[in-house]
Amino acid sequence: MTLLSNPRTRRRRLAVGAAAAGLLAALLTAAPAGAVPDPGDTPAAPKSVSKSDAAQTREAIERGEIPAPDEIAHSDNIEHLANIPKDALPGNNTDLAFQGKYAFAGNYDGFRIFDISNPKAPRTVSQVLCPGSQNDVSVSGDLLFLSTDSSRSDNSCNSTTQPATEKSSWEGMKIFDISDKANPKYVSAVETACGSHTHTLVPERRNVYVYVSSYSPDAAFPDCQPPHDGISVIKVPRKAPERAAVVNFPVLFPGEGPDGGGNPGGPTNPGVRKTSGCHDITVLPSEDLAAGACMGDGILFSIEDPENPKIIDQVQDNTNFAFWHSATFNQKADKVVFTDELGGGSGATCNAAVGPDRGANGIYDIRGKGDKRKLVFKSYFKIPRHQADTENCVAHNGSLIPVRGKDLMVQAWYQGGVSVWDFTDSRKPKEIGYFERGPLSTDKITTGGSWSAYYYNGRVYSNDMAKGLDVLKINDKRTEPAQRVRLHELNVQTQPDYFD
């Protein structure tokens, strides 16, 4: 492993602390370094919009309806404490995880560890160069988990892009030892069918189970064959993470034929993505429950036996949902918020033309008990602030704000910014605060904005794809009780019992 130190110190070489040979990672300090993004892991290039859309964007800025490029706007109850721009890792920022005084920020080119003991001045502890989109990140104890969902030449951090049609190509889960936050060590890697777009931890005392979500199989891909209607379950022994391995592939959507049993998508259900796996799963270990956002389907399932999850209920919305993206339980576990990623995260869907229901959150009540529980749709929620037609905007990753007796959430909306909203009445959700920037461009859709916005120990941390890490404070009586809730560790897709 190569350590590129602060310019005031000389470069030096450190031994690789990995248990498996050939697993290499470049470790970069807070000083800028020469990391180069891998073109194969870079999101789509900016897309030009029509002259009329560009003109309307400029006119909306002139009228004060939306902020200008790089201008920050927020509600009176939101305070912007800090912004830490991207540094040695130039790729798009992605997901976040937390442990003690540290925040772990994913990036298409690797991950970055921040010391957030002073939320007004987060400090970079280390940056690891390890290209492989999306680099969804989670932590548990001394282990960090990193998802790779792009076809690579091998399982190392020095790999390059390689076609998925080649049998030797690799995608899956990487595991790091983060006992020394300033010097993470690559421990092992586990290949999974169709890679790992996202993952979810189910931690136990001796082992960590990892639910790997992936999709889009193709008969031409040797390691990603259709119908792929399930998830990979990895078992990671805490004391021997180098022995991590896939222990099951539960089929969540059983059905005969090459298309499996999930939502068939178009032309049967026009505008809906065909189900061929899951995009994201949130588990609630205190209730042995999980909610899966699985392309064309939303599911509720039991994880009482973590190696063998069992479906309880399955729902579809073939009117307003295009791609079931993520899920969040409320604290009582009697509601689930599902998000719809209309446009794949790169479209301008927060405008009058698309309307308030498409590209929104769907709020479902959970009715009944045990295996007879049902998901019952109640309403949609979408940010009420129209965005420019040059801004990619749609519901994305968020978390609960822990207040007893209330269902409050903070959520990323890409260039729609960060929204704080209340769904205590699941029929009448409402926004109670926001933070956003003006469009990255007035004449093209340039991908950016908040990927993940999570509440952790009194502050909101937002990982902006283009602008870096933002830290926000909510000054509102409705959220004030959450200030007293303190967690040692937070992976939002492993939802804690905040009041235990």
Side-chain angles (χ1 to χ4, degrees), residues 133-198:
S133 65
Q134 303 176 142
N135 281 338
D136 192 33
V137 62
S138 296
V139 294
S140 183
D142 288 337
L143 301 178
L144 180 144
F145 301 85
L146 201 67
S147 284
T148 300
D149 192 34
S150 59
S151 185
R152 311 295 302 177
S153 57
D154 56 52
N155 63 4
S156 78
C157 285
N158 293 329
S159 67
T160 58
T161 56
Q162 183 168 289
T165 52
E166 295 188 22
K167 176 62 179 172
S168 63
S169 294
W170 185 91
E171 300 178 56
M173 180 64 56
K174 295 166 183 166
I175 304 171
F176 288 77
D177 180 334
I178 53 168
S179 53
D180 180 357
K181 305 297 187 294
N183 186 24
K185 292 183 173 66
Y186 193 169
V187 175
S188 63
V190 180
E191 186 170 16
T192 54
C194 299
S196 174
H197 192 70
T198 67

Coordinates of all heavy atoms in Angstrom, one line a residue, residues 133-198:
S133 N -17.3 2.0 -9.1 CA -18.6 2.6 -8.7 C -19.5 1.5 -8.0 O -19.4 0.3 -8.4 CB -19.3 3.1 -9.9 OG -19.6 2.1 -10.8
Q134 N -20.4 1.8 -7.1 CA -20.6 3.2 -6.6 C -19.8 3.5 -5.4 O -19.8 4.6 -4.8 CB -22.1 3.5 -6.3 CG -23.1 3.3 -7.4 CD -24.5 3.5 -6.9 OE1 -25.3 4.1 -7.7 NE2 -24.9 3.1 -5.7
N135 N -19.2 2.4 -4.9 CA -18.5 2.5 -3.6 C -19.4 2.9 -2.5 O -19.1 3.8 -1.6 CB -17.3 3.4 -3.7 CG -16.1 2.8 -4.4 OD1 -16.0 1.5 -4.4 ND2 -15.2 3.5 -4.9
D136 N -20.6 2.2 -2.4 CA -21.5 2.3 -1.3 C -20.7 1.8 -0.1 O -20.0 0.8 -0.1 CB -22.7 1.4 -1.6 CG -23.8 1.5 -0.6 OD1 -24.0 2.7 -0.2 OD2 -24.5 0.5 -0.3
V137 N -20.8 2.5 1.1 CA -19.9 2.3 2.2 C -20.7 2.0 3.5 O -21.7 2.7 3.7 CB -18.9 3.4 2.4 CG1 -19.7 4.7 2.7 CG2 -17.9 3.1 3.5
S138 N -20.3 1.0 4.3 CA -20.8 0.8 5.6 C -19.7 0.4 6.6 O -18.6 -0.1 6.1 CB -21.9 -0.4 5.6 OG -23.0 -0.1 4.8
V139 N -19.9 0.5 7.9 CA -18.9 0.1 8.8 C -19.5 -0.7 10.0 O -20.7 -0.5 10.3 CB -18.2 1.4 9.4 CG1 -17.4 2.1 8.4 CG2 -19.2 2.3 10.1
S140 N -18.7 -1.6 10.5 CA -19.2 -2.3 11.7 C -17.9 -2.7 12.5 O -17.1 -3.5 12.0 CB -20.0 -3.6 11.3 OG -20.4 -4.3 12.4
G141 N -17.8 -2.2 13.7 CA -16.6 -2.5 14.5 C -15.3 -2.0 13.7 O -15.3 -0.8 13.3
D142 N -14.4 -2.9 13.5 CA -13.1 -2.5 12.8 C -13.2 -2.8 11.3 O -12.2 -2.7 10.7 CB -12.0 -3.3 13.4 CG -11.6 -2.8 14.8 OD1 -11.9 -1.6 15.1 OD2 -11.0 -3.6 15.6
L143 N -14.4 -3.1 10.8 CA -14.5 -3.4 9.4 C -15.3 -2.4 8.6 O -16.3 -1.8 9.1 CB -15.2 -4.8 9.2 CG -14.5 -6.0 9.9 CD1 -15.4 -7.2 9.7 CD2 -13.1 -6.2 9.4
L144 N -14.8 -2.1 7.4 CA -15.5 -1.2 6.5 C -15.8 -2.0 5.2 O -14.9 -2.8 4.7 CB -14.6 0.0 6.1 CG -15.2 1.0 5.1 CD1 -14.8 2.4 5.5 CD2 -14.8 0.7 3.7
F145 N -17.0 -1.9 4.7 CA -17.5 -2.6 3.5 C -17.7 -1.6 2.4 O -18.3 -0.6 2.5 CB -18.8 -3.4 3.9 CG -18.6 -4.3 5.0 CD1 -18.7 -3.9 6.3 CD2 -18.3 -5.7 4.8 CE1 -18.6 -4.7 7.4 CE2 -18.2 -6.5 5.9 CZ -18.3 -6.1 7.2
L146 N -17.2 -2.0 1.2 CA -17.3 -1.2 0.0 C -17.8 -2.0 -1.2 O -17.3 -3.0 -1.5 CB -15.9 -0.7 -0.3 CG -15.7 0.6 -1.1 CD1 -16.2 1.8 -0.4 CD2 -14.2 0.8 -1.5
S147 N -18.9 -1.4 -1.8 CA -19.5 -2.1 -2.9 C -18.9 -1.7 -4.2 O -18.6 -0.6 -4.5 CB -21.0 -1.7 -3.0 OG -21.8 -2.3 -2.0
T148 N -18.7 -2.7 -5.1 CA -18.2 -2.5 -6.5 C -19.3 -3.0 -7.4 O -19.6 -4.2 -7.5 CB -16.9 -3.2 -6.7 OG1 -15.9 -2.7 -5.8 CG2 -16.4 -3.0 -8.1
D149 N -19.8 -2.1 -8.2 CA -20.8 -2.5 -9.2 C -20.5 -2.1 -10.6 O -21.3 -1.6 -11.4 CB -22.2 -1.9 -8.8 CG -23.3 -2.5 -9.6 OD1 -23.3 -3.7 -9.9 OD2 -24.3 -1.8 -9.9
S150 N -19.2 -2.2 -10.9 CA -18.7 -1.9 -12.3 C -17.7 -3.0 -12.6 O -16.9 -3.5 -11.7 CB -18.1 -0.5 -12.4 OG -17.0 -0.4 -11.5
S151 N -17.7 -3.5 -13.8 CA -16.9 -4.6 -14.2 C -15.4 -4.3 -14.2 O -15.0 -3.3 -14.9 CB -17.3 -5.1 -15.5 OG -16.6 -6.3 -15.9
R152 N -14.6 -5.0 -13.4 CA -13.2 -4.7 -13.2 C -12.3 -5.8 -13.6 O -12.7 -6.9 -13.7 CB -12.9 -4.4 -11.7 CG -13.9 -3.5 -11.0 CD -13.8 -2.1 -11.5 NE -12.5 -1.5 -11.4 CZ -12.1 -0.3 -11.8 NH1 -13.0 0.5 -12.4 NH2 -10.9 0.2 -11.7
S153 N -11.0 -5.5 -13.9 CA -10.1 -6.5 -14.3 C -9.7 -7.5 -13.2 O -9.3 -8.6 -13.5 CB -8.8 -5.8 -14.8 OG -8.2 -5.0 -13.8
D154 N -9.8 -7.1 -11.9 CA -9.6 -8.0 -10.8 C -10.2 -7.3 -9.6 O -10.8 -6.3 -9.6 CB -8.1 -8.3 -10.6 CG -7.2 -7.0 -10.5 OD1 -7.6 -6.2 -9.6 OD2 -6.2 -6.8 -11.2
N155 N -9.9 -7.9 -8.4 CA -10.5 -7.5 -7.2 C -9.7 -6.5 -6.4 O -10.0 -6.2 -5.2 CB -10.9 -8.7 -6.3 CG -9.7 -9.5 -5.8 OD1 -8.6 -9.2 -6.1 ND2 -10.0 -10.6 -5.1
S156 N -8.6 -6.0 -7.0 CA -7.7 -5.1 -6.2 C -8.2 -3.6 -6.5 O -9.0 -3.3 -7.3 CB -6.3 -5.3 -6.7 OG -6.1 -4.6 -7.9
C157 N -7.6 -2.7 -5.7 CA -7.8 -1.3 -5.9 C -7.0 -0.7 -7.0 O -7.2 0.4 -7.4 CB -7.5 -0.5 -4.6 SG -8.8 -0.8 -3.3
N158 N -6.1 -1.5 -7.6 CA -5.4 -1.1 -8.8 C -6.0 -1.6 -10.1 O -5.4 -1.5 -11.2 CB -3.9 -1.6 -8.7 CG -3.2 -1.0 -7.6 OD1 -3.4 0.2 -7.3 ND2 -2.3 -1.7 -7.0
S159 N -7.2 -2.2 -10.0 CA -7.9 -2.8 -11.2 C -8.3 -1.7 -12.2 O -8.3 -0.5 -11.9 CB -9.1 -3.6 -10.7 OG -10.1 -2.7 -10.2
T160 N -8.6 -2.1 -13.4 CA -9.1 -1.2 -14.4 C -10.4 -1.8 -14.9 O -10.8 -2.9 -14.6 CB -8.1 -1.1 -15.6 OG1 -7.8 -2.4 -16.1 CG2 -6.8 -0.5 -15.1
T161 N -11.1 -1.0 -15.7 CA -12.4 -1.4 -16.2 C -12.1 -2.5 -17.2 O -11.1 -2.6 -17.9 CB -13.1 -0.3 -16.9 OG1 -12.3 0.3 -18.0 CG2 -13.5 0.8 -16.0
Q162 N -13.1 -3.4 -17.3 CA -13.0 -4.6 -18.2 C -14.5 -5.0 -18.5 O -15.4 -5.0 -17.6 CB -12.3 -5.7 -17.5 CG -12.1 -7.0 -18.4 CD -11.1 -7.9 -17.8 OE1 -9.9 -7.7 -17.7 NE2 -11.6 -9.1 -17.3
P163 N -14.8 -5.4 -19.7 CA -16.1 -5.8 -20.1 C -16.7 -6.9 -19.2 O -16.0 -7.8 -18.9 CB -16.0 -6.2 -21.6 CG -14.8 -5.6 -22.1 CD -13.8 -5.5 -20.9
A164 N -18.0 -6.8 -18.9 CA -18.7 -7.8 -18.1 C -18.9 -9.1 -18.9 O -19.2 -10.1 -18.3 CB -20.0 -7.3 -17.6
T165 N -18.7 -9.0 -20.2 CA -18.8 -10.2 -21.0 C -17.6 -11.2 -20.8 O -17.6 -12.3 -21.3 CB -18.9 -9.8 -22.5 OG1 -17.8 -8.9 -22.8 CG2 -20.2 -9.1 -22.8
E166 N -16.5 -10.7 -20.2 CA -15.3 -11.5 -20.0 C -15.5 -12.2 -18.6 O -15.7 -11.6 -17.6 CB -14.1 -10.7 -20.0 CG -13.8 -10.1 -21.4 CD -12.4 -9.4 -21.4 OE1 -11.6 -9.7 -20.6 OE2 -12.2 -8.5 -22.3
K167 N -15.3 -13.5 -18.6 CA -15.5 -14.3 -17.4 C -14.5 -13.9 -16.3 O -14.9 -14.0 -15.1 CB -15.3 -15.8 -17.7 CG -15.3 -16.8 -16.5 CD -16.7 -16.7 -15.9 CE -16.7 -17.7 -14.7 NZ -18.0 -17.6 -13.9
S168 N -13.3 -13.4 -16.6 CA -12.4 -13.0 -15.6 C -12.7 -11.7 -14.9 O -12.1 -11.4 -13.9 CB -11.0 -12.9 -16.2 OG -10.9 -11.9 -17.2
S169 N -13.7 -11.0 -15.4 CA -14.0 -9.7 -14.8 C -14.6 -9.9 -13.4 O -15.1 -11.0 -13.1 CB -15.1 -9.0 -15.6 OG -14.5 -8.6 -16.9
W170 N -14.4 -8.9 -12.6 CA -14.8 -9.0 -11.1 C -15.7 -7.9 -10.7 O -15.5 -6.7 -11.1 CB -13.5 -9.0 -10.3 CG -13.8 -9.3 -8.8 CD1 -13.9 -10.5 -8.2 CD2 -14.2 -8.3 -7.8 NE1 -14.2 -10.3 -6.8 CE2 -14.4 -9.0 -6.6 CE3 -14.3 -6.9 -7.9 CZ2 -14.7 -8.3 -5.4 CZ3 -14.6 -6.2 -6.7 CH2 -14.9 -6.9 -5.5
E171 N -16.7 -8.2 -9.9 CA -17.6 -7.2 -9.2 C -18.0 -7.8 -7.9 O -18.1 -9.0 -7.8 CB -18.8 -6.9 -10.0 CG -18.6 -6.3 -11.4 CD -19.9 -6.0 -12.1 OE1 -20.7 -5.2 -11.5 OE2 -20.1 -6.5 -13.2
G172 N -18.2 -7.0 -6.9 CA -18.6 -7.6 -5.6 C -18.3 -6.7 -4.4 O -18.4 -5.4 -4.5
M173 N -17.9 -7.3 -3.3 CA -17.8 -6.6 -2.0 C -16.3 -6.6 -1.6 O -15.6 -7.7 -1.6 CB -18.6 -7.3 -1.0 CG -18.5 -6.7 0.4 SD -19.2 -5.0 0.4 CE -20.8 -5.3 -0.2
K174 N -15.8 -5.4 -1.2 CA -14.4 -5.3 -0.7 C -14.5 -5.0 0.8 O -15.5 -4.3 1.3 CB -13.7 -4.2 -1.4 CG -13.4 -4.5 -2.8 CD -12.9 -3.3 -3.6 CE -12.8 -3.6 -5.1 NZ -12.6 -2.4 -5.9
I175 N -13.6 -5.5 1.6 CA -13.6 -5.4 3.1 C -12.3 -4.8 3.5 O -11.2 -5.3 3.1 CB -13.9 -6.7 3.7 CG1 -15.2 -7.3 3.2 CG2 -13.9 -6.6 5.3 CD1 -15.4 -8.8 3.7
F176 N -12.3 -3.8 4.3 CA -11.2 -3.1 4.9 C -11.1 -3.2 6.4 O -12.2 -3.2 7.0 CB -11.1 -1.6 4.5 CG -10.9 -1.3 3.0 CD1 -11.9 -1.5 2.1 CD2 -9.6 -0.9 2.6 CE1 -11.6 -1.2 0.7 CE2 -9.4 -0.6 1.3 CZ -10.4 -0.8 0.4
D177 N -9.9 -3.2 6.9 CA -9.7 -3.1 8.4 C -9.5 -1.6 8.7 O -8.6 -1.0 8.1 CB -8.5 -3.9 8.8 CG -8.2 -3.8 10.3 OD1 -8.6 -2.8 10.9 OD2 -7.5 -4.8 10.8
I178 N -10.4 -1.0 9.5 CA -10.3 0.4 9.8 C -10.0 0.6 11.3 O -10.3 1.7 11.9 CB -11.6 1.2 9.4 CG1 -12.8 0.5 10.1 CG2 -11.7 1.3 7.9 CD1 -14.1 1.4 10.0
S179 N -9.3 -0.3 11.9 CA -8.9 -0.1 13.3 C -8.0 1.1 13.5 O -8.0 1.7 14.5 CB -8.2 -1.4 13.9 OG -7.1 -1.8 13.0
D180 N -7.2 1.4 12.4 CA -6.4 2.6 12.4 C -7.0 3.5 11.3 O -6.8 3.2 10.1 CB -4.9 2.3 12.0 CG -4.1 3.5 12.0 OD1 -4.6 4.6 12.1 OD2 -2.8 3.4 11.8
K181 N -7.8 4.5 11.7 CA -8.5 5.3 10.7 C -7.6 6.0 9.8 O -8.0 6.3 8.6 CB -9.4 6.3 11.4 CG -10.4 5.7 12.4 CD -11.4 4.7 11.8 CE -12.5 4.2 12.7 NZ -12.0 3.4 13.8
A182 N -6.4 6.3 10.2 CA -5.4 7.0 9.3 C -4.7 6.0 8.3 O -4.1 6.5 7.4 CB -4.4 7.7 10.2
N183 N -5.0 4.8 8.5 CA -4.3 3.8 7.7 C -5.1 2.6 7.4 O -4.8 1.5 7.9 CB -2.9 3.4 8.3 CG -2.1 2.5 7.4 OD1 -2.2 2.5 6.2 ND2 -1.2 1.7 8.0
P184 N -6.3 2.7 6.7 CA -7.1 1.5 6.4 C -6.3 0.5 5.6 O -5.5 0.8 4.8 CB -8.3 2.1 5.6 CG -8.3 3.6 5.9 CD -6.8 3.9 6.2
K185 N -6.6 -0.8 5.9 CA -5.9 -1.9 5.3 C -7.0 -2.7 4.6 O -8.0 -3.1 5.1 CB -5.1 -2.7 6.3 CG -4.0 -2.0 6.9 CD -3.2 -3.0 7.8 CE -1.9 -2.3 8.3 NZ -2.1 -1.2 9.2
Y186 N -6.7 -3.1 3.3 CA -7.6 -3.9 2.5 C -7.4 -5.4 3.0 O -6.3 -5.9 3.0 CB -7.2 -3.8 1.0 CG -8.2 -4.3 0.0 CD1 -8.0 -4.0 -1.3 CD2 -9.2 -5.1 0.4 CE1 -8.8 -4.4 -2.3 CE2 -10.1 -5.6 -0.6 CZ -9.9 -5.3 -1.9 OH -10.7 -5.7 -2.9
V187 N -8.5 -6.0 3.4 CA -8.5 -7.3 4.0 C -8.8 -8.4 3.0 O -8.1 -9.4 2.8 CB -9.4 -7.4 5.2 CG1 -9.4 -8.9 5.7 CG2 -8.9 -6.5 6.3
S188 N -10.0 -8.3 2.3 CA -10.5 -9.4 1.4 C -11.5 -8.8 0.5 O -11.9 -7.7 0.6 CB -11.0 -10.5 2.3 OG -12.2 -10.1 3.0
A189 N -11.9 -9.7 -0.4 CA -12.9 -9.4 -1.4 C -13.8 -10.6 -1.7 O -13.3 -11.7 -1.6 CB -12.3 -8.8 -2.7
V190 N -15.1 -10.4 -2.0 CA -16.0 -11.5 -2.3 C -16.7 -11.1 -3.5 O -17.4 -10.1 -3.6 CB -17.0 -11.7 -1.1 CG1 -18.0 -12.8 -1.5 CG2 -16.3 -12.0 0.2
E191 N -16.6 -11.9 -4.6 CA -17.3 -11.7 -5.8 C -18.8 -12.1 -5.6 O -19.1 -13.1 -5.0 CB -16.7 -12.5 -6.9 CG -17.3 -12.2 -8.3 CD -16.5 -12.8 -9.4 OE1 -15.7 -13.7 -9.2 OE2 -16.8 -12.4 -10.6
T192 N -19.7 -11.3 -6.2 CA -21.1 -11.6 -6.1 C -21.8 -11.5 -7.4 O -21.3 -10.7 -8.3 CB -21.8 -10.7 -5.1 OG1 -21.6 -9.3 -5.4 CG2 -21.4 -10.9 -3.7
A193 N -22.8 -12.3 -7.6 CA -23.5 -12.2 -8.9 C -24.0 -10.9 -9.2 O -24.7 -10.2 -8.4 CB -24.7 -13.2 -8.9
C194 N -23.7 -10.3 -10.4 CA -24.1 -9.0 -10.9 C -23.5 -7.9 -10.1 O -23.9 -6.7 -10.1 CB -25.6 -8.9 -10.9 SG -26.4 -10.0 -12.0
G195 N -22.4 -8.2 -9.3 CA -21.7 -7.1 -8.5 C -22.5 -6.8 -7.3 O -23.3 -7.5 -6.7
S196 N -22.1 -5.6 -6.7 CA -22.8 -5.0 -5.6 C -23.1 -3.6 -5.8 O -22.2 -2.7 -5.7 CB -21.9 -5.2 -4.3 OG -22.5 -4.6 -3.2
H197 N -24.4 -3.3 -6.1 CA -24.7 -1.9 -6.3 C -24.8 -1.2 -5.0 O -24.3 -0.1 -4.8 CB -26.1 -1.8 -7.1 CG -26.4 -0.4 -7.6 ND1 -25.7 0.1 -8.6 CD2 -27.3 0.5 -7.2 CE1 -26.2 1.4 -8.8 NE2 -27.2 1.6 -8.0
T198 N -25.6 -1.8 -4.1 CA -25.6 -1.4 -2.7 C -25.5 -2.6 -1.8 O -25.5 -3.7 -2.3 CB -26.9 -0.6 -2.3 OG1 -28.0 -1.6 -2.4 CG2 -27.2 0.5 -3.3

